Amino acid sequence: MKQGTSSPDYLGLGFEMLDRELRFLTECLREVLIELGHRDLAEHLPWLGQTVAGDSAPWRLGLAYSVAFQLLNMVEEHAAGEMRLLRERNEGNTAERGLWGQQIARLRAQGLTAEEMLAAMQQVRVEPVLTAHPTEAKRLAVLHQHRLLFGLLDDLVDAEGSLHVQRGLRERVKAALERLWRTGEILLEKPTLADERRNVLHYLRDVFPSVLPALDDRLFEAWQDAGFDPEPLFVPGALPRIRFGTWVGGDRDGHPGVTAEITAETLAELRVQAVGVAREQLTDLAAKLSLSTWMQEAPPTLQVALGAAGDLVKHDQPWRRHIENLIAKLPGSGADSYTYSAELLADLDRLSQSLDEVGAHRLAEADVAPVRRTIEVFGFHLAQLDVRQNSVFHAKAMTQLLGAAGLSADDWDEWSEPERLRFLERELRSPRPFLHPSASAGPEADAVLGCYRALASHMERCGANGIGSLIISMTRRLSDLLVVYLLAREAGLMRAFPEGIVCVLPVVPLFETIEDLDQGPDMLRAFLEEPVTHRSLAFHAKRALRAGQLLQQVMVGYSDSNKDGGILASQWALQKAQTRLAKVGHECGVNIRFFHGRGGTVSRGAGPTHRFLEALPHGSVSGHLRLTEQGETIAQKYANPATATYNLELLLAGTTATTALHARPGEEFPQLIPVLEKLAAASKRAYRSLLDHEGFMTFYRQATPIDALEHSRIGSRPSRRTGQASLADLRAIPWVFSWNQARFYVPGWFGAGSGLAALAPEELATLGEQMRHWPFLHYVMTNVESSLASSDPTLMTQYAELVPETELRDELLQMILGERDLTLRMLEQLRGGPIAGRRPRMLKTLELRAEALRVLHAQQIVLLKEWRGRRDRHEDVSADAMLPDLLLSINAIASGLRTTG
């Protein structure tokens, strides 16, 4: 920006674009509805200056509003992206917080040299893991139309000033909207695992490979603009590494549909799709490298390669011919095909060398390097498939295995922990299994061993790159981890060496509840001190070419800890646990790679990526980072190339900066630890006073649509782990989803007010002052504030009217509303004023949705009352007939809130 010129009002410009594009799309939707004979719905659409319908609104209005909210979400995303581009164009690439330009400038301001930044980049390995928890409330076909419409918004910006082009665009938009309307919003059948796999494969195959070049270009541009030499970035291994993972087809925690056959199919399909990506990349490269022998002779490296392939050097386009030979060697092409992607990478390196030999350095960097980068990221596996199972399931499998082997008739759960450990440590000295591979031990044992054998078979044929880790959810004690080694031994996943047996796949604890997070560090120390663990980590390090660098993955869960103790107690427990876990790793000579099990809402760990990374405890990030991307957040972050590039850049740049800063001494806040302990404890007491109330489950099941969600078809996974109708058995996702639908948002804020009110005035003042300096504190309180702002006391009261017991309803509603008022007052006191001046974007998005959402909530309340009445009267047929309308209301509200669970 020129000196002396004032900065544009980006906020105002963004709001203008949002309003303009929203009106355009809504007008198009109105025209489509009228043309399809739905004038009654068209007349009630929001944002066109019309009066939104009241209680007399037609029931199908929910579908119209759902589509309208989807358009609003799309426009908000598009306007945000356009404003980012405008800011960078005017202010330079340091203008946008969290991206490469700003992060490099931040590191320079902290005194880091280019060499230190490059060293940090080389340590970075970031892995988003796509999961299919039951949070995506939209059909796959609907998401496809969303992607098409988003692209048309880009075209609309480019077409400004051309009425002819705009008219054509309007017709294309209307066609997409008609397809969206005719497709319908409701899933008449639950999606299958194949459906969920197909959705995830779309991102892995069609989105992420296409955005990699732009992602790297952003780094190169920011690096050069900072005045640094770009050459070191072209050295293989210099760029921060990004990989992808998935749980679809591997996560069997409480999901009986994920069988060994499903896992084997998923691994095979991932490999097929990865080879497809490689083929497309190489085919495009062959078209580019049409260099002829008329302009330059084939260099020695290329001659050797072509000779080895039985080709003649006299071929007019030898580089192109060589690439065609590489395509012919892709897996599945014949007896001489590649087995491992490393073989293809070696051939691509020779291709680059042959271009260098004729002076075509630019072509090696511009054409071959991006293909090499893609193969390096996706290999022949596309993404690593994790296998997750619950420790309780493993215990049942162990009981059956011991019984079948004639070793014990007792239930494994009845063994004391010392008895378990003595038995396990004795057994883990031997490589021999208990049973013959063909023997059956029982349903749980057969399920675990069948899965592990499928993994072993895939590794034998294709290598280990496509398989991630064996993750044990609800890890409660050391034996929960060691028992996995014994089960792995039974299925051929252990190898014998002179020094002892090793597990060929990483075994990963998942600490989820507050109690488990507290006990986790001691458990991790004991696990790392086990000889079989140490040998296995050394084996993995050797295989990954990490000389002497042992790496243990530890997963921490945000959802169950929040459900267990509330937002502040959960966040503080996670902060403390990560600090202690990282320290245990350091003391044991092992780097800890944290795997963050985050969901799509604040109460499940969501929040702006760069803020999340800045808030991690100092010393907990040493380059390696995994995190889940769940449900609707996948589409929100990655459905469109520009948005996908932005979110992946936030993740890569933020992890690099955090890694570099965590390698240096960081600011400590010991004076705040007693205050945080007091805050978390008081907050948890208030939260548990609600959940432990004698009538809480009755209130919860009647004041929220949890029962309707349990009948929904938004995911293949059951809403409960074991099917028991208890709070403990209910998954965190429907728990959060149901509170959001009824606009309570309890998991995101309840207890925060009581926690803050328990502090002395000077403690509260200190906390408010330190929020400017401690990113963790700022991040947590901002997220609580966001959840609180999304709650609505009027709607909460209306949903509470569904609870027939007046005394119970009034008592619990007053508890919730009283805590909300207290939290609002305490946050204003902590932050020094109301939210309005600090969060204009958030208030704008809430305001745009408010009126239409009130209509949908009113309809849902009526539907719930009638549906429950029919079920109580055992009118099952008529109750089932209501489900589509009820589920449509859930989807429409989820679209309006832009969140489920």
Side-chain angles (χ1 to χ4, degrees):
M1 179 173 289
K2 293 180 181 179
Q3 191 172 5
T5 60
S6 60
S7 180
D9 177 14
Y10 297 112
L11 186 65
L13 290 172
F15 286 164
E16 287 175 15
M17 170 174 273
L18 191 158
D19 291 337
R20 184 169 62 249
E21 291 186 346
L22 180 60
R23 184 171 188 85
F24 170 75
L25 289 182
T26 311
E27 286 174 346
C28 288
L29 176 61
R30 182 177 184 275
E31 292 170 15
V32 167
L33 290 174
I34 291 172
E35 291 164 6
L36 294 178
H38 301 299
R39 181 174 291 274
D40 58 330
L41 303 181
E43 290 174 352
H44 292 302
L45 288 176
W47 314 311
L48 293 178
Q50 300 159 283
T51 302
V52 177
D55 294 339
S56 60
W59 287 117
R60 215 177 213 188
L61 190 65
L63 179 55
Y65 277 16
S66 180
V67 174
F69 280 134
Q70 292 164 33
L71 301 181
L72 171 57
N73 297 337
M74 194 181 307
V75 165
E76 286 179 330
E77 179 184 335
H78 186 257
E82 290 296 313
M83 288 306 103
R84 286 195 297 270
L85 290 175
L86 182 62
R87 268 192 297 272
E88 287 194 341
R89 195 178 302 132
N90 291 336
E91 321 257 349
N93 61 21
T94 61
E96 201 61 41
R97 185 174 176 84
L99 300 182
W100 276 119
Q102 187 268 337
Q103 294 287 22
I104 290 171
R106 175 186 170 209
L107 293 177
R108 290 188 77 173
Q110 296 276 348
L112 273 79
T113 64
E115 290 72 24
E116 288 175 302
M117 295 184 211
L118 286 167
M121 286 183 196
Q122 291 168 14
Q123 295 177 57
V124 168
R125 176 168 171 165
V126 172
E127 190 171 326
V129 180
L130 308 189
T131 76
H133 284 273
T135 57
E136 179 53 79
K138 298 179 183 62
R139 300 177 62 163
L140 303 185
V142 168
L143 295 176
H144 175 71
Q145 298 307 320
H146 287 185
R147 289 189 282 269
L148 181 61
L149 282 165
F150 193 90
L152 292 173
L153 284 178
D154 283 336
D155 295 342
L156 186 66
V157 172
D158 296 338
E160 284 186 13
S162 172
L163 293 178
H164 171 71
V165 175
Q166 287 180 3
R167 277 196 295 268
L169 275 172
R170 191 178 191 90
E171 288 306 308
R172 287 159 63 194
V173 166
K174 287 172 66 176
L177 288 171
E178 182 171 342
R179 283 192 294 271
L180 193 60
W181 180 262
R182 290 182 182 274
T183 297
E185 179 73 6
I186 289 297
L187 292 169
L188 299 180
E189 296 179 359
K190 285 180 76 70
T192 65
L193 280 156
D195 294 329
E196 293 174 340
R197 185 167 60 207
R198 194 158 42 245
N199 189 36
V200 165
L201 284 171
H202 163 74
Y203 295 97
L204 292 171
R205 172 170 176 149
D206 300 328
V207 175
F208 295 138
S210 67
V211 303
L212 266 184
L215 201 57
D216 289 342
D217 287 346
R218 296 273 304 171
L219 169 56
F220 293 142
E221 183 181 339
W223 188 257
Q224 287 181 282
D225 286 354
F228 295 139
D229 179 9
E231 283 304 312
L233 294 179
F234 292 104
V235 176
L239 296 178
R241 289 170 294 170
I242 185 166
R243 302 291 187 268
F244 295 93
T246 181
W247 277 12
V248 180
D251 182 14
R252 56 233 315 124
D253 179 10
H255 196 328
V258 184
T259 62
E261 291 74 22
I262 289 290
T263 297
E265 286 174 11
T266 303
L267 287 168
E269 184 65 20
L270 286 166
R271 186 167 175 85
V272 166
Q273 297 296 335
V275 171
V277 169
R279 180 174 284 107
E280 290 170 4
Q281 294 275 322
L282 291 171
T283 300
D284 183 56
L285 181 60
K288 289 177 179 175
L289 292 185
S290 55
L291 289 70
S292 73
T293 52
W294 184 69
M295 296 298 294
Q296 56 267 302
E297 290 186 11
T301 300
L302 189 58
Q303 292 184 34
V304 171
L306 286 169
D311 223 324
L312 295 176
V313 179
K314 65 180 182 181
H315 193 282
D316 182 49
Q317 296 180 0
W319 280 271
R320 179 171 185 160
R321 181 58 182 165
H322 177 51
I323 298 167
E324 290 169 351
N325 289 338
L326 303 188
I327 295 172
K329 293 171 65 179
L330 289 173
S333 303
D336 296 329
S337 60
Y338 298 120
T339 300
Y340 308 111
S341 58
E343 298 167 305
L344 174 56
L345 288 173
D347 280 343
L348 287 172
D349 287 340
R350 282 187 282 271
L351 178 64
S352 288
Q353 183 182 341
S354 72
L355 290 169
D356 287 337
E357 287 173 356
V358 297
H361 309 295
R362 181 182 288 110
L363 299 186
E365 291 179 358
D367 297 337
V368 182
V371 176
R372 191 193 192 285
R373 174 78 156 152
T374 302
I375 304 303
E376 188 179 60
V377 171
F378 298 99
F380 293 156
H381 61 280
L382 206 61
Q384 287 197 322
L385 180 68
D386 286 331
V387 168
R388 183 177 72 142
Q389 184 54 276
N390 197 288
S391 60
V392 174
F393 197 95
H394 285 156
K396 292 178 181 177
M398 193 63 189
T399 298
Q400 293 164 8
L401 185 60
L402 294 177
L407 292 172
S408 174
D410 294 336
D411 192 311
W412 180 251
D413 272 335
E414 295 177 2
W415 292 36
S416 69
E417 183 68 358
E419 287 175 325
R420 287 184 178 202
L421 293 177
R422 281 195 298 271
F423 175 80
L424 289 167
E425 288 170 2
R426 183 175 66 250
E427 281 297 325
L428 289 173
R429 297 190 191 105
S430 169
R432 58 109 182 94
F434 289 129
L435 302 176
H436 188 275
S438 63
S440 173
E444 281 80 9
D446 290 351
V448 174
L449 300 182
C451 169
Y452 286 7
R453 286 178 182 132
L455 300 180
S457 174
H458 183 84
M459 290 174 67
E460 185 70 25
R461 289 178 286 106
C462 307
N465 284 344
I467 303 174
S469 307
L470 305 176
I471 300 172
I472 300 91
S473 56
M474 291 299 171
T475 303
R476 294 279 163 81
R477 47 201 163 191
L478 176 59
S479 61
D480 289 341
L481 297 170
L482 299 185
V483 78
V484 177
Y485 286 145
L486 211 56
L487 294 167
R489 186 188 72 176
E490 203 69 16
L493 289 178
M494 302 291 279
R495 289 187 188 172
F497 291 94
E499 59 271 25
I501 60 174
V502 303
C503 187
V504 298
L505 291 176
V507 173
V508 175
L510 167 49
F511 303 123
E512 299 181 79
T513 67
I514 289 177
E515 182 182 359
D516 294 339
L517 286 165
D518 184 53
Q519 296 176 356
D522 291 337
M523 198 186 317
L524 178 66
R525 185 186 300 277
F527 182 59
L528 294 178
E529 290 173 350
E530 285 290 329
V532 66
T533 300
H534 195 271
R535 288 195 301 268
S536 298
L537 295 183
F539 172 81
H540 301 148
K542 184 177 180 182
R543 191 170 66 186
L545 303 178
R546 297 192 308 266
Q549 221 180 37
L550 305 186
L551 184 69
Q552 172 65 48
Q553 188 180 152
V554 176
M555 189 169 183
V556 289
Y558 289 70
S559 305
D560 284 284
S561 58
N562 178 282
K563 180 168 163 260
D564 182 35
I567 184 72
L568 294 188
S570 167
Q571 288 291 324
W572 183 233
L574 283 157
Q575 191 79 357
K576 290 189 297 180
Q578 289 175 71
T579 300
R580 293 173 57 211
L581 288 163
K583 183 180 179 183
V584 166
H586 179 74
E587 291 170 353
C588 294
V590 177
N591 282 335
I592 302 301
R593 182 189 196 189
F594 283 105
F595 184 4
H596 299 272
R598 304 171 75 210
T601 55
V602 163
S603 55
R604 298 187 55 240
T609 298
H610 56 291
R611 297 285 193 187
F612 166 74
L613 292 168
E614 290 170 5
L616 293 174
H618 193 82
S620 67
V621 181
S622 57
H624 291 261
L625 185 83
R626 299 184 91 208
L627 70 170
T628 53
E629 298 285 17
Q630 297 185 5
E632 78 277 356
T633 59
I634 298 174
Q636 289 171 8
K637 288 185 176 182
Y638 304 122
N640 306 296
T643 312
T645 303
Y646 169 69
N647 282 294
L648 290 176
E649 183 179 348
L650 281 177
L651 189 53
L652 271 177
T655 304
T656 301
T658 305
T659 297
L661 294 173
H662 281 207
R664 292 183 156 205
E667 187 174 2
E668 302 289 342
F669 299 89
Q671 75 281 11
L672 287 181
I673 291 177
V675 179
L676 264 294
E677 289 287 348
K678 184 176 178 181
L679 175 66
S683 173
K684 184 179 179 182
R685 280 195 301 273
Y687 178 82
R688 290 307 314 184
S689 71
L690 175 66
L691 269 62
D692 294 336
H693 188 285
E694 185 179 357
F696 171 76
M697 281 301 290
T698 300
F699 178 89
Y700 163 64
R701 291 196 64 83
Q702 293 172 346
T704 76
I706 180 60
D707 48 350
L709 287 172
E710 290 171 341
H711 285 77
S712 70
R713 302 173 177 90
I714 59 172
S716 68
R717 177 187 298 277
S719 63
R720 297 181 177 277
R721 284 192 166 95
T722 67
Q724 299 175 13
S726 66
L727 179 60
D729 194 62
L730 182 67
R731 291 184 183 279
I733 297 165
W735 163 255
V736 173
F737 197 170
S738 54
W739 282 119
N740 291 359
Q741 282 277 307
R743 299 301 291 276
F744 284 86
Y745 278 78
V746 158
W749 59 266
F750 195 94
S754 291
L756 290 169
L759 302 180
E762 61 273 15
E763 291 174 325
L764 189 66
T766 301
L767 212 59
E769 172 64 27
Q770 291 303 317
M771 280 186 65
R772 306 174 193 172
H773 309 292
W774 195 6
F776 164 73
L777 201 56
H778 182 273
Y779 175 76
V780 171
M781 292 302 175
T782 300
N783 284 344
V784 169
E785 191 175 61
S786 298
S787 287
L788 195 68
S790 299
S791 67
D792 187 312
T794 301
L795 289 170
M796 291 156 68
T797 302
Q798 291 173 9
Y799 275 93
E801 291 294 325
L802 291 168
V803 181
E805 298 177 43
T806 307
E807 188 176 339
L808 173 65
R809 176 183 69 214
D810 292 346
E811 183 180 357
L812 286 178
L813 180 62
Q814 287 311 309
M815 279 183 70
I816 295 171
L817 292 176
E819 181 67 21
R820 184 185 184 276
D821 290 343
L822 177 61
T823 304
L824 192 62
R825 292 197 309 273
M826 295 310 301
L827 281 174
E828 288 186 356
Q829 191 173 338
L830 180 73
R831 305 294 295 265
I835 191 175
R838 293 190 309 275
R839 310 288 296 279
R841 288 187 185 88
M842 187 182 72
L843 292 182
K844 170 78 171 180
T845 192
L846 290 172
E847 179 188 336
L848 280 170
R849 289 161 163 77
E851 189 177 0
L853 275 170
R854 277 195 290 272
V855 175
L856 294 176
H857 285 298
Q859 288 189 342
Q860 186 180 84
I861 290 168
V862 172
L863 283 167
L864 277 170
K865 189 180 296 184
E866 177 62 25
W867 178 68
R868 288 171 179 173
R870 293 184 186 185
R871 294 183 72 213
D872 289 343
R873 296 189 298 272
H874 304 291
E875 298 171 4
D876 296 339
V877 174
S878 62
D880 289 346
M882 289 188 66
L883 268 177
D885 283 333
L886 184 53
L887 299 181
L888 174 60
S889 79
I890 290 171
N891 280 26
I893 290 171
S895 292
L897 297 176
R898 205 173 188 188
T899 183
T900 55

